[in-house]
Amino acid sequence: MILAIDVGNSDIVIGGYENDRLCFTSRCSSDRRKTIDEYALIFKGILELHNVTPDRIQSGIISAVVPSLRNLIQRAFEALTGSAFLTVTSGIKTGLNIRTDYPGELGSDLVAGAVAAIAKYPKPIIIFDMGTATTVSVVDQHGAYLGGMLYPGLRISVEALFFCADQLPSIMLNAPERLIGRNTEECMQSGAIHGCAAMLDGLIDRLDAELAIPSTAVITGGLASLVVPFCHKAIVVNQNLLLDGLYILYKKNRARR
């Protein structure tokens, strides 16, 4: 079994691949204060939950947008499994034609998402990743990574209202029952969800105009399934996009283990 590990600012997502099939996914919190041993115990428990023993793990690959956690998570998995793990860094072979100003600075999560999207969907492609920040990646009709956008994520935006506006409550991000809210909580939920959906629709329109050709819109991230039903545009939801991209990258680079 090969593990694909996506280390984000809030969560660590783990996927187990066997015979080119995703067998399980699991999630735990990112915590910079934990030690290698603590993470190894957490990962051991996750594997046991899915009836996977550490000796079944042949290797794995790690993407981390938190630099301080990359080496720590790698060492924890290697200590647990006794196998060498790859990390997605600027020297890894991706097959991407990255046409940004500084290709080596492109985030490993964006690389993984683009690699998977190119393998799965018609080009050009617009890729949304709704995490702590919402990122937008644009791949043209020739498969070149052109660049993208970045703005505050949905959850952090709602939390900012609570912390910065004295009379606004902390709310759950649930699907709004109606567009026009009738109390403060409904207004905040509707504004957050419908506002995010309208932003996705508007960005697709503007990016399609920039590309001068209709694109395939793909979205991933924990809140994607909550927002997409309120969008007017066709957007493909793929919650395992980054894991699939990491597995593809592993196969491209497994000789370097």
Side-chain angles (χ1 to χ4, degrees), residues 49-167:
L49 184 65
H50 295 280
N51 298 312
V52 177
T53 55
D55 60 1
R56 276 182 61 188
I57 307 302
Q58 298 169 267
S59 186
I61 184 166
I62 300 168
S63 161
V65 299
V66 186
S68 60
L69 284 179
R70 183 190 299 119
N71 184 55
L72 191 152
I73 299 299
Q74 180 183 15
R75 291 172 64 188
F77 270 111
E78 291 181 343
L80 176 63
T81 65
S83 301
F85 276 61
L86 293 170
T87 58
V88 182
T89 58
S90 58
I92 201 167
K93 182 167 64 176
T94 66
L96 271 183
N97 175 16
I98 303 172
R99 296 177 57 187
T100 60
D101 290 341
Y102 307 104
E105 294 182 0
L106 187 63
S108 58
D109 56 333
L110 304 183
V111 170
V115 166
I118 290 169
K120 292 173 177 290
Y121 304 109
K123 301 182 284 290
I125 312 167
I126 302 169
I127 307 156
F128 298 96
D129 187 350
M130 295 184 64
T132 304
T134 296
T135 60
V136 187
S137 298
V138 181
V139 175
D140 71 10
Q141 62 265 43
H142 306 295
Y145 186 100
L146 301 182
M149 304 174 187
L150 189 151
Y151 55 91
L154 177 56
R155 191 180 303 280
I156 203 170
S157 298
V158 173
E159 289 174 353
L161 277 178
F162 168 63
F163 285 113
C164 298
D166 286 344
Q167 297 189 57

Side-chain angles (χ1 to χ4, degrees), residues 9-11 27 29 129-135 151-164 169-175 188-189 191-193 195-196 199 221-227 239:
N9 288 291
S10 302
D11 295 318
R27 183 182 297 261
S29 297
D129 187 350
M130 295 184 64
T132 304
T134 296
T135 60
Y151 55 91
L154 177 56
R155 191 180 303 280
I156 203 170
S157 298
V158 173
E159 289 174 353
L161 277 178
F162 168 63
F163 285 113
C164 298
S170 176
I171 64 167
M172 296 291 291
L173 278 172
N174 297 323
M188 291 177 70
Q189 286 177 337
I193 303 301
C196 183
M199 182 183 292
L223 294 173
S225 298
L226 175 64
V227 175
Q239 296 291 11

Side-chain angles (χ1 to χ4, degrees), residues 126 199-211 233:
I126 302 169
M199 182 183 292
L200 295 176
D201 287 336
L203 287 176
I204 292 169
D205 276 337
R206 294 180 181 216
L207 289 167
D208 280 355
E210 180 82 7
L211 293 167
K233 296 288 186 180

Side-chain angles (χ1 to χ4, degrees), residues 6 26 203 234:
D6 174 36
S26 193
L203 287 176

